[in-house]
Amino acid sequence: MSHAQAMLETHPRETIFDRAALLECIEACIDCAQSCTSCADACLGEEDSAGLARCIRLCLDCADVCDASGRILTRQTEPDAGVTRALLEACRQACRTCGRECERHARHHEHCRVCAGACQRCEEACGEALSALTA
Amino acid sequence: MSHAQAMLETHPRETIFDRAALLECIEACIDCAQSCTSCADACLGEEDSAGLARCIRLCLDCADVCDASGRILTRQTEPDAGVTRALLEACRQACRTCGRECERHARHHEHCRVCAGACQRCEEACGEALSALTA
Amino acid sequence: MSHAQAMLETHPRETIFDRAALLECIEACIDCAQSCTSCADACLGEEDSAGLARCIRLCLDCADVCDASGRILTRQTEPDAGVTRALLEACRQACRTCGRECERHARHHEHCRVCAGACQRCEEACGEALSALTA
Amino acid sequence: MSHAQAMLETHPRETIFDRAALLECIEACIDCAQSCTSCADACLGEEDSAGLARCIRLCLDCADVCDASGRILTRQTEPDAGVTRALLEACRQACRTCGRECERHARHHEHCRVCAGACQRCEEACGEALSALTA
């Protein structure tokens, strides 16, 4: 059991939506933030970094949004569904936009291929969390 | 001239929307993030902190969203309007929700009154930025 | 293989120290940041939250330091050993201090026990990384 | 009066060191984080961005450390002097290293000159805060 799961299971309050969807979304956000921080840095270290400016930029943005989303989803005390929903929409959008850009460089840079996978997982997890939150 | 303004004026790229609205929104996000971090901590230090759990929670969330928004608005290279817009919507929502909660405690706690003002300024700045971005 | 490991293995630059120690420290920082964000929130949701103010405070600090450390360790392009070392010292200190406080509440709150474990793992990983960096 | 100052003055707890030095350090950290985020992005947008990889990298690190420091200094409830001191040391180191790199590019890039000034102010503020904390 991951620490994230153990923390969720020992929390004194109820979760606002399905626990499995919530845990997957927390872990996907944290994982995607790390992959995007890494991909921005790997692109910066490439010889053709000048052609990767858009990929670097979108990875930095996606890391920041996923970081904030991972923190907010982690909190279960006195949640506000409206704030959570709006941030999940922004996170899904950032992951979709970043993932598509990474995909464009996946043939030339293996780290972009890996990062595109992390973005796609997080985009889907945000979608599932949004469905669970509205249900 | 603030460093934020000087950095914006020496940036090699164009801004995606009106520079005055952009600068105000960057400064409001950073200011609101700091006020919310402080208000969560001040509430935690009050004797009646147990009754302020919702205020603490919303301040922590608002600080995280404003931090991410301040960073993303600060970047002018290869911006994506869709990501910026979605995050500004989330930030406006977080500021509105947090500001209203702080307002409820403003008579008893001066720091909640100050923080409500920072939230309201940021909510308005996000609204102006969204209008400028769509125009 | 985790995304963090795959990103490290596809990075175009060399790592500044032993890859296994680096990967463990990156993952420990990210894991500890999430556990501490969760423990601060779980403490806030407890009936005896007023007696947990110090635990909440140290968890918030530890989450912020671990977040910054996880990001900086993730970057391999043009690293600066002095900055990395100073931050690892601060992170080890934050994890030790937070972990001891969580340990004090472990008998009453299971989430504090889990969080103490995440802090201890991260304190040790920072120590190993510091040794590897100085070697 | 800034919101940061108003929040400090309405906080229910004592500060752990001289209030003027504390306020200056909080504001310098937040200001430096924003300048460094901006400088990394401005460098990325330059035609000679490939030659600015070290400046981009150090600015991203400095922004992350200053962000964490600004948050931790903002908190007055149940502070831990050891954690604060270790992080201030790391922050001073990050600002010194980043400021020197920015200085090297100041003749060619005005944003690097502005950012070097923000780094120097923050390095000094951390030094003053460390002196005040040890006194």
Side-chain angles (χ1 to χ4, degrees), chain A residues 100-121:
Chain A
R100 281 181 190 166
E101 181 65 26
C102 286
E103 196 65 59
R104 290 184 54 229
H105 308 286
R107 273 190 314 158
H108 297 289
H109 299 302
E110 193 67 6
H111 51 79
C112 290
R113 192 188 57 71
V114 177
C115 190
C119 289
Q120 196 186 334
R121 175 195 173 193

Side-chain angles (χ1 to χ4, degrees), chain B residues 3-4 7 10-13 30-31 34-35 38-39 41-42 45 64 67 71 74-77 110-111 114, chain D residues 3-4 7 10-13 30-31 34-35 38-39 41-42 45-46 64 67 71 74-77 110-111 114:
Chain B
H3 278 134
M7 290 305 297
T10 59
H11 199 288
R13 302 286 181 103
I30 291 170
D31 183 57
Q34 198 273 335
S35 292
S38 184
C39 192
D41 177 72
D64 289 334
D67 249 6
R71 283 172 166 237
T74 291
R75 298 184 186 117
Q76 309 307 322
T77 299
E110 194 66 7
H111 50 79
V114 176
Chain D
H3 278 134
M7 291 304 298
T10 58
H11 199 288
R13 303 285 181 104
I30 289 170
D31 182 57
Q34 198 273 335
S35 293
S38 184
C39 193
D41 177 73
E46 293 287 356
D64 289 334
D67 249 5
R71 282 171 168 239
T74 291
R75 297 185 187 116
Q76 310 308 321
T77 299
E110 193 67 6
H111 50 80
V114 177

